[in-house]
Amino acid sequence: MSQQNKELRKAVGDVIVGIILFIIGIYVIIESLNMKIFKNFSDAPGFFPLFLGIIIAFLGIVLVLQAYKIGAFPLIKVVLSKENLKKFVKDDRTLRTAVLTLIMIIYIYVLIGRMHFAIATMLYLVSTMLYLKSANWWKTLIISAISTLLICVVFQYGFRIPLP
Amino acid sequence: MTSIATQMGLLLSALNGILTPDKILLIFAATTMGIIVGAIPGLTGTMALALLINVTYTMQLEYAVAFLLSVYVGAIMGGCYSAIMINIPGTPAAAATALDGFPLARQGKGGKAITAGIIASFLGSIISCLILIFATPYIYTIALKFSQWEYFLLAFFGITICGSLAGGSSPVKGWIVGFLGFLAAMIGLDTIYSYARFTFGSRNLIAGIQLIPALIGVFGISEVLIVLSERVPYMLEQKIGSVLPNKEELKQITKPVARSAIIGAGIGAVPGAGEDIAAWVSYDAGRRRSKEGKKFGTGSFEGLSCAETANNACIPGAMIPLLTLSVPGSPQAAMFMAAIILHGVRPGPMLALEDPQFLYTTAITLFLASFAMLIMGIILTRPMVHVLKLNRKILMPIVVPMTVIGAYATNVNIFDIKVMFIFGFLGFILRKLDFPMAPLVLGLILGEMADKGFRQALMQGQGSIMPLLGRPIGLILIGVIILSIISGMRKYAKDKAVHQETSTVSEGPAHD
């Protein structure tokens, strides 16, 4: 992919981010206007967020306009086409990021707090390293076990830090 | 301002407090840790602090300060090992170092290049420490005159200047993340009426977004995802050659030191700008001013020295706005600030009255850490080649449980771990889209100051902004905010013109 093509694809990303920012900005403005006024509006809790909402919505528009100026608009259809999205989903890098993020989500949102931290950590390390093929399975098990043990012992007993 | 005699008394008292065997040992150990973490590609200086901040929770203040500053100094220098030997900067601050460092390593001068980087880093740190000691008391006197208007404008200036400098391809992206940081800081009870804002009915959000989990997420989790999602193969230059530079090379190393140290300290003092920007600016200034500027990028000791002097000089520089105005000069300084706040230190102009010795404790610790960096850096030069061979696919997953402990231990709350992950994932996506992270952190830190300053200033002026017109410092700040926005836009327009020119040339008519 040429450098210019990459820039244009990033600009398409900017258009999407710009639109999201505009929506966030509008939401913040509405929410701020609904906040309680105690004495005057100038010292109300919503006064500063109101300005932030306006600035964020404005900067979202600027981002979209910048992308428009470098010619990103005609590319939006191409980048968001079914074929291209299929290619993106099947891309090795996308898949790797998705799997690694999913393992992290399971570790943080499901395992931690429901079982002992050491067991949760061991499960996380084994699954991540096996997926990444960091080492063969028995080396992965040994490295994960030693790392878990070291982390737990050093932080809990060495530095007297509570573990989740 | 306190008299020179009083300051000398404070300096000696701080010196007395730090020069104990256990603290010196801690400084050496922490600097070594920082060097090793900073040297490993993927484990940046900010991540080193993010991972090790939890170690300081149970420490006494002086030990925590010694530990964190030593890790910081070590990690910024440590980045030069991988920049020189494998052409991948261990930390973003060493990116400019790779330009001359790697060609030197390919010429078989890797050992000399590393020593050159260490000497330059040491000299940069020492000069900048002197600037920290002598400039800070003057800034305290100015900061003590700040009213709510100035605090609001200072926070606003932090975002505009940091966005302009860190925004890379577009300052707008820097400003966007800065204001998003402001918005994230609005979550929770407001400081004037204790009204719950943007909490979505969640009890956990009433206390707001906790700084340390957010920082660990932005710099820890996002970095892990970025490193593991890419497959970047790299070649390690195995031959390190001689470690000691000769007289001529030493002359080249020391030539740009004074200029680069001043640039580094100056950029360090700019809110959120950071070591990587300092290194690039110094490298560019060196290339333009040196008689041998054409040799920069081909393996020049002078070029290497420009980058390495400035990135380490940035550290004491970043402490100046942190201590005087409660505005961190770099993301790493933000981590340090979060840690000292946990220990009950309140950075800002009142620190000069509440704990006047703290400035000198910080400066002397940085001094000692620089000496430790010089000694340990040279000792570790050869063994570090083996450290660079560590498998990142093993190392990076191990980082994650450590970030989890760091986020949890701040308030012993599992919710903070979830916040850390959300910030990490958002950081990952934004970084992929070329949004810088430094303004986000700065926005998160300065958001409360901006909100409180703005509303209280208006309350004092009964809704009018007229009182601001009678405040010279406030007017100067408005001037520099406008300047930073204009310079950011001009830089963007200039970069765009150069980019268009380059693409026109590269797309020129094809020849047979």
Side-chain angles (χ1 to χ4, degrees):
Chain A
M1 202 192 297
S2 74
Q3 184 63 29
Q4 203 190 5
N5 234 343
K6 261 187 186 173
E7 295 280 326
L8 281 171
R9 274 166 197 272
K10 271 195 178 153
V12 173
D14 287 352
V15 174
I16 297 166
V17 174
I19 294 168
I20 294 171
L21 283 170
F22 182 74
I23 296 167
I24 292 174
I26 298 296
Y27 167 77
V28 171
I29 292 169
I30 296 168
E31 188 81 353
S32 308
L33 289 170
N34 286 331
M35 282 180 194
K36 198 176 169 184
I37 297 167
F38 290 89
K39 286 178 192 163
N40 306 305
F41 188 61
S42 59
D43 61 40
F47 193 55
F48 190 66
L50 174 73
F51 276 91
L52 288 181
I54 295 167
I55 294 171
I56 289 168
F58 171 73
L59 289 174
I61 296 170
V62 173
L63 202 63
V64 173
L65 287 178
Q66 278 187 350
Y68 171 75
K69 270 190 174 177
I70 59 167
F73 276 27
L75 249 185
I76 294 177
K77 260 193 178 176
V78 183
V79 174
L80 298 179
S81 67
K82 242 186 185 178
E83 218 173 276
N84 216 17
L85 287 176
K86 261 187 193 171
K87 222 166 129 189
F88 173 75
V89 172
K90 283 182 183 168
D91 182 60
D92 184 36
R93 221 182 296 171
T94 314
L95 197 71
R96 201 164 44 242
T97 310
V99 173
L100 289 170
T101 310
L102 188 71
I103 300 173
M104 236 183 245
I105 290 173
I106 294 171
Y107 174 51
I108 290 170
Y109 288 85
V110 181
L111 303 183
I112 290 178
R114 287 199 175 87
M115 57 179 71
H116 193 277
F117 178 70
I119 300 168
T121 301
M122 176 80 185
L123 284 173
Y124 168 75
L125 290 178
V126 170
S127 46
T128 308
M129 287 186 200
L130 280 179
Y131 174 71
L132 288 169
K133 293 181 186 138
S134 311
N136 59 37
W137 69 268
W138 61 269
K139 267 189 189 170
T140 298
L141 277 179
I142 293 171
I143 293 168
S144 303
I146 293 173
S147 311
T148 306
L149 192 74
L150 272 176
I151 290 170
C152 292
V153 170
V154 169
F155 281 99
Q156 191 165 17
Y157 301 106
F159 300 122
R160 285 172 289 143
I161 290 167
L163 298 181
Chain B
M1 199 176 72
T2 46
S3 69
I4 294 196
T6 318
Q7 284 179 45
M8 284 301 133
L10 290 168
L11 184 71
L12 287 174
S13 167
L15 200 62
N16 208 23
I18 297 167
L19 286 179
T20 59
D22 55 345
K23 278 181 199 139
I24 291 173
L25 198 69
L26 181 73
I27 287 171
F28 269 79
T31 309
T32 310
M33 261 188 238
I35 292 173
I36 294 170
V37 178
I40 298 167
L43 296 184
T44 62
T46 323
M47 198 198 247
L49 284 165
L51 291 178
L52 296 168
I53 198 166
N54 44 19
V55 171
T56 64
Y57 292 161
T58 50
M59 286 181 182
Q60 283 175 18
L61 175 67
E62 313 89 80
Y63 291 89
V65 168
F67 184 84
L68 289 171
L69 289 179
S70 305
V71 168
Y72 187 4
V73 170
I76 295 299
M77 188 284 285
C80 87
Y81 289 97
S82 49
I84 292 166
M85 298 310 289
I86 55 179
N87 202 21
I88 295 178
T91 135
T97 309
L99 290 184
D100 284 295
F102 190 61
L104 282 168
R106 299 191 86 172
Q107 292 163 23
K109 293 178 186 169
K112 284 182 177 186
I114 290 171
T115 311
I118 296 167
I119 294 170
S121 298
F122 168 73
L123 293 172
S125 277
I126 297 297
I127 295 171
S128 189
C129 276
L130 294 173
I131 296 173
L132 169 70
I133 289 175
F134 291 106
T136 309
Y138 291 97
I139 297 171
Y140 269 135
T141 52
I142 300 169
L144 280 167
K145 289 177 189 160
F146 274 29
S147 73
Q148 295 302 335
W149 270 121
E150 279 84 7
Y151 277 114
F152 162 68
L153 290 168
L154 183 74
F156 208 85
F157 167 66
I159 296 302
T160 55
I161 188 74
C162 185
S164 295
L165 289 172
S169 57
S170 163
V172 172
K173 290 189 171 180
W175 297 333
I176 285 172
V177 282
F179 287 113
L180 285 178
F182 267 1
L183 188 63
M186 295 301 108
I187 296 172
L189 294 180
D190 93 292
T191 43
I192 297 177
Y193 292 111
S194 295
Y195 181 85
R197 298 185 291 196
F198 308 109
T199 53
F200 309 102
S202 162
R203 274 189 202 171
N204 285 308
L205 282 176
I206 285 178
I209 299 287
Q210 300 302 305
L211 189 59
I212 293 179
L215 288 178
I216 294 176
V218 166
F219 294 109
I221 295 291
S222 75
E223 195 69 41
V224 171
L225 285 172
I226 281 188
V227 171
L228 291 181
S229 66
E230 303 279 345
R231 273 190 186 150
V232 190
Y234 57 79
M235 279 281 295
L236 176 69
E237 282 295 325
Q238 300 279 357
K239 284 180 189 166
I240 199 159
S242 160
V243 174
L244 292 176
N246 60 35
K247 218 176 166 184
E248 181 53 34
E249 288 158 349
L250 214 56
K251 210 174 140 189
Q252 280 185 45
I253 295 162
T254 48
K255 212 160 66 177
V257 159
R259 181 187 57 233
S260 300
I262 292 168
I263 291 175
I267 290 182
V270 174
E275 290 77 15
D276 43 346
I277 295 168
W280 283 116
V281 173
S282 166
Y283 187 82
D284 188 50
R287 188 171 47 82
R288 280 189 280 114
R289 299 206 66 157
S290 169
K291 283 177 190 166
E292 294 182 349
K294 279 183 185 168
K295 286 186 185 168
F296 277 42
T298 59
S300 156
F301 280 102
E302 197 181 333
L304 179 92
S305 174
C306 284
E308 276 302 307
T309 307
N311 65 22
N312 264 77
C314 198
I315 302 170
M319 294 295 140
I320 299 174
L322 189 155
L323 297 177
T324 55
L325 302 162
S326 194
V327 177
S330 68
Q332 291 92 330
M335 300 289 304
F336 175 70
M337 184 172 143
I340 59 170
I341 289 172
L342 270 184
H343 280 87
V345 177
R346 284 195 307 156
M350 294 310 286
L351 190 65
L353 307 173
E354 289 170 0
D355 189 358
Q357 199 179 299
F358 193 78
L359 159 68
Y360 300 99
T361 307
T362 306
I364 293 164
T365 306
L366 286 170
F367 242 97
L368 292 173
S370 305
F371 276 101
M373 174 194 74
L374 180 72
I375 297 164
M376 296 313 295
I378 292 172
I379 291 173
L380 286 172
T381 300
R382 285 185 193 282
M384 201 53 85
V385 177
H386 301 288
V387 174
L388 294 177
K389 288 179 191 163
L390 278 176
N391 187 349
R392 285 194 288 176
K393 283 186 193 167
I394 291 175
L395 210 61
M396 297 313 271
I398 296 172
V399 164
V400 176
M402 291 165 79
T403 62
V404 165
I405 296 173
Y408 175 76
T410 324
N411 291 313
V412 194
N413 187 354
I414 285 189
F415 181 75
D416 286 339
I417 305 173
K418 295 171 183 172
V419 169
M420 173 199 74
F421 175 77
I422 292 168
F423 269 81
F425 191 67
L426 279 177
F428 167 71
I429 291 175
L430 288 171
R431 283 172 70 176
K432 282 276 174 192
L433 291 166
D434 276 349
F435 284 85
M437 286 299 101
L440 180 76
V441 171
L442 206 61
L444 202 56
I445 291 170
L446 301 179
E448 192 187 313
M449 186 203 275
D451 175 40
K452 200 174 152 192
F454 187 48
R455 287 159 60 205
Q456 281 189 342
L458 283 172
M459 276 163 90
Q460 283 161 5
Q462 289 167 335
S464 166
I465 61 159
M466 292 313 277
L468 172 64
L469 301 176
R471 304 195 62 85
I473 302 175
L475 292 175
I476 292 170
L477 279 169
I478 290 177
V480 290
I481 287 169
I482 295 168
L483 258 175
S484 66
I485 293 172
I486 293 171
S487 70
M489 291 314 291
R490 279 184 66 178
K491 188 179 147 243
Y492 169 68
K494 205 173 145 190
D495 286 354
K496 213 175 90 180
V498 171
H499 182 75
Q500 270 175 352
E501 217 170 89
T502 328
S503 22
T504 318
V505 170
S506 60
E507 278 173 16
H511 298 285
D512 291 328

